[in-house]
């Protein structure tokens, strides 16, 4: 009893809160004594805030709950896990263990942790993290999942999941996650040569055709910078993540004008939940890349959700935009880079955020590299201003012509590739998402050569994303190994009867436009049903 009193006094001093002890009993085994009990903090007026273990983990040691060794693990049903889907009340499952990551804004990867609130994150965790990262999760552990409560998985599904986890282990053993440093040295050198040629075409020439060629080459340079930044920030190249981040700042902030953190928040969220609609207004389990309303609707559900947010009515602009979205798709792509520049500038200089998830991340965590991001963005606009002005020789109108030619062509070059990667593929509600493998495969399209476009050009132009299916399954696999990986993925899919989609640039573009047209038709049919007088 004296020992219990001492523990109670110590915990009260540690947390500066009154405590009580429960579940006390004393066991003896070979003269070793165990004291399995739980320390419970009693709520008082100074500690009334309801905070999950994730929030507790970010608090000071004096504010953390204390759990002494010896408690039996709590058993938790799948139905209970599904209730905790918001950032301030977020439970996740990893290998049948349940973790409360509520308010864990200090997560090294940012707000992407909340995309799997109320869901199983086992496979997306493996896709994004280095081996050993799971050790950090121990402090968030709250109990074990009852496997029998997961009623939507039969034995074949469990065998399928084990199969693709075994495939991942096989790829690790084969060294498929080790990058080729000479390959990336070549890609970086080639990119810088593109930039130098574009600059030289302006500096040494007064010819209009030469300047237009320079602008188009600069747009292509930016597109290829996008693929390099993508690889570095997925940590495909370096094991030390800081090196990847710094390379991302160079190829992203400095050379493109894109904020590294803006991109990571947006892209990591996309990878975790591709082509998913949010399960609720409060949750953050939707894909930011398909959050394109009111300009484009990728499903009737997306248009309906936007209507609900705006008081149950569609504006004339929304109705017109969706009706003609198959025709406005390419003009929108031309302007995409301008939007990305704007969101990047806002992120780097603290002027706003592109999404609720990004806003929460910036408010709670701030920029990971605040000084480097600001310097990188500023230097980008400095060298771009010098180049766009023809080193001071051109008029304002001529400078704008050069800038918008480069900017719009780059937006088109970029969006053509990643638009084909997912647009027009399956779209799901977050609450009814399939397993990790099927989600990544059914929402993604590979690109091949065809219609007169050779495969070697597709491989260069798409920067590895011609293997979009394989990349989404293994996002940390270096670009130079994706072709070899694809053969194993293809074989695995055939073995389990899972189909994936491949097509060339021409047919893929037609599929995207056809999908947009179908959504337009569905939207117009629904509108006529709701308003028959129209």
């Amino acid at each position: 009893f004296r020992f219990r009193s001492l523990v109670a006094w110590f915990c009260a001093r540690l947390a500066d809160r009154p405590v009580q002890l429960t579940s006390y009993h004393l066991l003896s085994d070979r003269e070793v004594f165990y004291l399995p009990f739980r320390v419970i903090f009693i709520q008082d007026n100074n500690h009334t805030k309801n905070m999950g273990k994730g929030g507790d983990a970010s608090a000071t040691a004096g504010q953390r709950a204390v759990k002494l060794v010896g408690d039996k693990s709590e058993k938790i049903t799948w139905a209970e896990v599904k209730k905790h889907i918001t950032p301030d009340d977020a439970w996740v499952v990893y290998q049948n263990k349940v973790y409360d990551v509520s308010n864990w804004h200090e997560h090294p990867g940012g707000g992407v942790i909340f995309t799997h609130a109320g869901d199983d994150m086992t496979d997306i965790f493996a896709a994004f993290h280095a081996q050993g990262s799971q050790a950090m999760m121990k402090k968030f552990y709250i109990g074990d999942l009852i496997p029998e409560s997961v009623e939507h998985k039969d034995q074949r599904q469990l065998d399928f999941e084990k199969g693709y986890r075994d495939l991942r282990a096989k790829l690790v053993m084969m060294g498929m996650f080790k990058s080729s440093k000479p390959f990336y040295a070549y890609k970086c050198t080639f990119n810088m040569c593109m930039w130098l040629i574009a600059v030289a075409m302006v500096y040494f020439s007064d010819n209009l055709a030469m300047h237009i060629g320079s602008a188009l080459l600069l747009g292509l340079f930016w597109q290829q910078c996008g693929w390099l930044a993508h690889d570095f920030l997925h940590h495909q190249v370096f094991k030390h993540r800081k090196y990847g981040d710094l390379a991302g700042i160079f190829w992203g902030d400095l050379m493109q004008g894109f904020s590294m953190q803006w991109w990571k928040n947006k892209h990591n969220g996309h990878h975790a939940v591709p082509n998913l609609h949010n399960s609720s207004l409060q949750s953050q389990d939707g894909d930011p890349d398909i959050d394109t309303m009111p300009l484009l609707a990728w499903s009737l559900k997306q248009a309906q959700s936007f209507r609900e947010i705006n008081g149950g009515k569609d504006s004339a602009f929304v109705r017109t935009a969706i009706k003609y979205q198959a025709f406005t798709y390419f003009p929108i792509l031309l302007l995409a880079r301008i939007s990305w520049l704007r969101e990047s500038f806002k992120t780097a200089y603290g002027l706003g955020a592109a999404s609720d998830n990004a806003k929460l991340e910036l408010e709670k965590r701030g920029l990971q590299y605040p000084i480097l991001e600001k310097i990188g963005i500023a230097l980008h606009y400095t060298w771009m201003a010098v180049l766009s002005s023809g080193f001071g020789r051109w008029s304002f109108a001529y400078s704008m012509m050069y800038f918008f030619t480069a900017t719009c062509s780059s937006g088109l070059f970029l969006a053509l590739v990643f638009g084909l990667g997912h647009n027009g593929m399956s779209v799901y509600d977050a609450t009814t998402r399939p397993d990790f493998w099927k989600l990544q495969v059914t929402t993604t399209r590979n690109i091949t050569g065809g219609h007169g476009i050779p495969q070697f050009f597709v491989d260069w132009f798409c920067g590895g994303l011609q293997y979009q299916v394989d990349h989404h399954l293994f996002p940390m696999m270096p670009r130079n190994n994706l072709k070899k990986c694809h053969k194993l993925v293809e074989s695995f899919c055939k073995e389990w009867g899972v189909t994936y989609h491949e097509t060339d640039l021409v047919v893929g573009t037609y599929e995207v436009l056809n999908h947009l047209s179908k959504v337009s038709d569905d939207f117009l049919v629904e509108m006529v049903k709701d308003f028959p007088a129209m």
Side-chain angles (χ1 to χ4, degrees):
F1 179 80
R2 290 178 180 176
F3 178 70
R4 290 184 65 206
S5 300
L6 180 62
V7 170
W9 175 85
F10 174 76
C11 292
R13 295 285 295 178
L14 179 67
D16 192 26
R17 295 167 63 179
V19 301
Q20 69 180 25
L21 299 177
T22 64
S23 305
Y24 171 78
H25 59 279
L26 190 64
L27 299 175
S28 175
D29 181 16
R30 296 185 181 179
E31 300 181 346
V32 178
F33 293 91
Y34 300 93
L35 294 169
F37 51 79
R38 185 189 302 269
V39 179
I40 299 176
F41 292 116
I42 301 174
Q43 203 68 264
D44 63 20
N45 292 334
N46 295 322
H47 299 86
T48 57
K49 185 176 180 181
N50 182 18
M51 181 179 288
K53 292 181 79 69
D56 291 340
S58 63
T60 62
Q63 294 172 313
R64 293 176 186 165
V66 179
K67 184 176 180 180
L68 299 185
V69 176
D71 268 328
K72 292 183 178 180
S73 298
E74 183 179 352
K75 302 300 181 182
I76 301 172
T77 66
W78 181 253
E80 180 61 31
V81 171
K82 297 297 290 183
K83 296 176 183 178
H84 304 271
I85 62 172
T86 60
D88 59 354
D89 182 19
W91 289 12
V92 294
V93 176
Y94 176 75
Q95 295 185 345
N96 286 338
K97 294 186 181 295
V98 183
Y99 301 86
D100 184 347
V101 295
S102 304
N103 294 317
W104 189 29
H105 302 287
E106 292 76 19
H107 173 237
V112 68
I113 185 73
F114 302 121
T115 61
H116 275 65
D119 206 78
D120 191 326
M121 69 166 191
T122 301
D123 296 296
I124 195 63
F125 184 94
F128 272 106
H129 295 83
Q131 293 181 347
S133 300
Q134 60 269 26
M136 183 178 289
M137 297 296 297
K138 291 180 179 178
K139 59 187 175 184
F140 303 106
Y141 170 73
I142 59 172
D144 291 340
L145 180 69
I146 302 173
E148 295 76 16
S149 69
V150 187
E151 298 177 353
H152 62 283
K153 293 184 180 182
D154 57 18
Q155 189 58 48
R156 176 171 172 77
Q157 176 62 31
L158 295 175
D159 291 342
F160 175 65
E161 292 180 5
K162 181 180 183 302
Y164 63 69
R165 290 166 189 170
D166 289 345
L167 174 59
R168 177 181 177 81
K170 179 181 178 180
L171 292 170
V172 172
M173 294 295 293
M174 292 172 62
M176 299 288 275
F177 290 87
K178 294 180 180 179
S179 66
S180 167
K181 300 303 187 293
F183 171 82
Y184 280 103
Y186 154 72
K187 295 302 295 184
C188 291
T189 302
F190 189 92
N191 266 30
M192 288 309 300
C193 288
M194 290 175 66
W195 181 75
L196 288 171
I197 292 171
V199 171
M201 291 169 73
V202 169
Y203 187 81
F204 293 107
S205 175
D206 290 320
N207 182 273
L208 173 62
M210 189 70 74
H211 296 159
I212 293 176
S214 169
L216 293 173
L217 181 59
L218 187 63
L220 198 55
F221 162 75
W222 281 332
Q223 186 230 35
Q224 293 294 309
C225 283
W227 309 150
L228 270 179
H230 170 270
D231 291 1
F232 282 113
L233 293 175
H234 266 305
H235 307 295
Q236 297 175 6
V237 185
F238 300 114
K239 289 184 178 180
H240 197 305
R241 296 201 166 204
K242 188 172 184 179
Y243 298 159
D245 288 342
L246 294 177
I249 289 175
F250 177 83
W251 291 111
D253 295 71
L254 176 60
M255 302 313 294
Q256 290 186 91
F258 291 167
S259 163
M260 179 206 70
Q261 188 151 329
W262 161 80
W263 184 89
K264 285 177 71 172
N265 174 274
K266 185 174 183 288
H267 192 70
N268 288 345
H270 157 71
H271 260 272
V273 286
N275 283 15
L276 290 193
H277 295 310
N278 279 329
S279 56
S280 70
L281 293 177
Q282 292 74 36
S283 64
Q284 296 184 1
D285 49 8
D287 182 358
D289 277 7
I290 63 169
D291 185 16
T292 52
M293 286 293 290
L295 297 177
L296 298 169
W298 296 104
S299 71
L300 181 60
K301 172 67 181 293
Q302 185 177 16
Q304 292 169 336
S305 298
F306 189 79
R307 179 190 302 149
E308 292 173 7
I309 296 172
N310 291 276
K313 295 182 179 180
D314 296 315
S315 68
F317 176 81
V318 170
R319 292 196 298 270
T320 303
I322 297 178
K323 181 179 179 180
Y324 296 106
Q325 61 181 6
F327 300 97
T328 59
Y329 177 65
F330 278 108
I332 289 171
L333 295 188
L334 289 171
L335 301 175
R337 177 174 156 79
I338 296 174
S339 174
W340 301 329
L341 288 171
R342 175 177 174 271
E343 295 302 334
S344 293
F345 190 89
K346 285 165 57 179
T347 299
Y349 288 92
L351 302 176
S355 66
D356 290 339
N357 185 282
K359 180 181 179 182
L360 190 63
E361 180 177 295
L362 289 172
E363 288 177 349
K364 300 296 184 178
R365 187 183 177 201
L367 288 174
Q368 188 176 2
Y369 302 96
I371 296 176
L372 288 179
E373 289 243 46
K374 289 180 176 64
I375 292 174
I377 295 286
L379 289 177
H380 168 79
Y381 283 107
T382 299
W383 73 254
M384 192 58 207
V386 172
L387 182 60
S388 294
S389 68
F391 293 88
R393 306 193 312 270
W394 297 344
S395 68
F396 178 78
Y398 199 93
S399 297
M400 288 297 98
M401 179 276 294
Y402 182 90
F403 172 79
F404 280 106
T405 300
T407 297
C408 293
S409 64
S410 177
L412 180 63
F413 296 151
L414 278 166
L416 261 180
V417 176
F418 62 68
L420 286 181
H422 300 280
N423 295 345
M425 298 299 291
S426 297
V427 179
Y428 300 97
D429 292 330
T431 52
T432 58
R433 72 181 82 175
D435 66 81
F436 169 77
W437 185 282
K438 291 173 185 172
L439 174 65
Q440 303 297 337
V441 170
T442 59
T443 59
T444 310
R445 178 193 289 110
N446 277 0
I447 307 172
T448 64
H451 279 85
I453 304 174
Q455 186 64 47
F456 76 85
F457 175 79
V458 171
D459 292 343
W460 177 81
F461 185 76
C462 296
L465 298 187
Q466 70 275 22
Y467 297 111
Q468 187 76 273
V469 173
D470 314 88
H471 167 64
H472 260 257
L473 292 169
F474 309 107
M476 292 178 65
M477 182 176 291
R479 190 194 313 182
N480 54 282
N481 289 331
L482 286 175
K483 184 176 182 179
K484 291 179 285 187
C485 172
H486 176 65
K487 295 180 180 178
L488 294 173
V489 169
E490 185 179 28
S491 175
F492 180 83
C493 287
K494 287 180 179 178
E495 177 185 351
W496 287 92
V498 177
T499 58
Y500 65 92
H501 188 42
E502 287 187 336
T503 189
D504 61 53
L505 286 165
V506 175
V507 175
T509 300
Y510 171 78
E511 290 176 354
V512 172
L513 296 177
N514 188 56
H515 178 83
L516 288 170
S517 181
K518 184 179 183 303
V519 174
S520 298
D521 292 343
D522 293 342
F523 178 79
L524 292 174
V525 168
E526 184 206 40
M527 190 167 63
V528 170
K529 287 181 178 179
D530 290 343
F531 305 98
M534 297 179 63

